[in-house]
Amino acid sequence: MKEKGRKVIAQNRRARHDYAVLEEFEAGVALMGTEVKSLRLGRASLVDAYATVDEGEVWLRGLHIPEYTHGSWTNHEPRRTRKLLLHKYEIERLIGKIREGGLTLVPMSLYFSDGKVKCELALARGKKTYDKRQDLAKKDAERDMARAIGRAAKGRARSLS
């Protein structure tokens, strides 16, 4: 039976905090059999992962997929470099944008799409500390406004003074 839909395996939660995402891509991941079995158990970590472009190919480095517990001598190395599968025109576009300056490739999430492992890559620019602080302040202000609107709708308005 063929799997349908999208099942998220791992997400890079800090990526949106640390980077301003400009553009997103979906890439296939070249894996070994035991890696896929380990991913089916929902075990992976994108914490230290990043992508690089070397000699016209895109590579995912630092992705941690733990060894498959029921594997034998054919088990994989947990932090090996894995090839990302993209169209040639996408790779050329990425190379151009990265050389343009200040941009990096950040893996945002790893998921199954119709039974195949995919990686959501983002072309991103690193945020400065004050940008991060600004984003947090903006998020807090929006949350406070939403709470106040909710209270007003319930008739329990509270003065802010």
Side-chain angles (χ1 to χ4, degrees):
M1 188 169 84
K2 193 91 163 144
E3 284 184 45
K4 294 282 184 219
R6 182 174 162 157
K7 180 187 170 213
V8 177
I9 303 163
Q11 284 189 319
N12 191 349
R13 295 178 189 276
R14 288 217 42 97
R16 291 207 191 274
H17 178 72
D18 292 338
Y19 297 95
V21 176
L22 305 176
E23 200 172 344
E24 293 184 347
F25 297 89
E26 180 181 73
V29 186
L31 298 170
M32 296 171 67
T34 54
E35 290 174 321
V36 177
K37 289 179 180 183
S38 190
L39 289 174
R40 288 213 183 279
L41 297 174
R43 300 170 63 207
S45 173
L46 285 168
V47 172
D48 298 325
Y50 62 98
T52 58
V53 180
D54 301 326
E55 299 166 17
E57 293 180 330
V58 183
W59 298 91
L60 185 59
R61 302 175 190 279
L63 169 66
H64 185 265
I65 301 175
E67 286 188 351
Y68 183 57
T69 52
H70 303 297
S72 60
W73 59 273
T74 59
N75 233 334
H76 63 278
E77 191 180 316
R79 284 203 186 268
R80 76 180 186 90
T81 302
R82 295 163 179 95
K83 186 175 181 176
L84 291 176
L85 310 171
L86 288 158
H87 290 282
K88 189 140 188 94
Y89 68 89
E90 288 178 315
I91 295 172
E92 288 169 359
R93 211 163 119 222
L94 284 174
I95 291 171
K97 296 232 180 179
I98 290 171
R99 282 197 184 135
E100 197 176 285
L103 300 180
T104 55
L105 280 175
V106 182
M108 301 300 279
S109 64
L110 200 64
Y111 56 92
F112 282 106
S113 178
D114 297 333
K116 295 189 174 37
V117 178
K118 303 286 183 182
C119 178
E120 184 180 27
L121 272 182
L123 194 60
R125 178 171 279 119
K127 285 184 185 176
K128 303 278 188 243
T129 309
Y130 58 84
D131 289 335
K132 293 178 193 176
R133 252 187 261 126
Q134 247 178 357
D135 285 350
L136 286 173
K138 185 178 170 185
K139 197 182 280 186
D140 285 344
E142 287 172 359
R143 192 179 303 124
D144 289 343
M145 282 192 298
R147 282 184 186 147
I149 291 169
R151 274 194 224 96
K154 292 178 185 171
R156 297 184 301 188
R158 190 174 79 190
S159 65
L160 298 174
S161 53

